[in-house]
Amino acid sequence: MAKHMACREQGMDCDFEITDEHEDEMVDFIQIHARSQHDMSVSEDEARNMMENT
């Protein structure tokens, strides 16, 4: 089942959204985006908690 994460759903003023079948890949993308665009460090567990089933 695909997972989805959107920055707006996390309370950020940002249009970043990602949907993917591969959770590990999504974690990497979320962490990279958080670090590069929001100057935030997001753990693997935090990234997984942001994901919702689609």
Side-chain angles (χ1 to χ4, degrees):
M1 175 176 283
K3 298 280 188 173
H4 176 80
M5 193 288 293
C7 278
R8 290 213 186 274
E9 293 171 1
Q10 305 302 316
M12 305 297 283
D13 184 20
C14 176
D15 292 329
F16 177 79
E17 291 189 43
I18 185 169
T19 302
D20 201 320
E21 294 280 339
H22 307 282
E23 284 188 41
D24 292 336
E25 213 171 76
M26 265 186 80
V27 167
D28 290 340
F29 281 118
I30 291 168
Q31 289 176 317
I32 291 167
H33 174 77
R35 188 171 43 254
S36 66
Q37 298 300 311
H38 301 291
D39 197 27
M40 296 172 61
S41 178
V42 175
S43 72
E44 182 177 334
D45 287 339
E46 289 171 322
R48 289 184 189 283
N49 287 335
M50 293 176 186
M51 297 178 197
E52 299 177 353
N53 291 329
T54 59

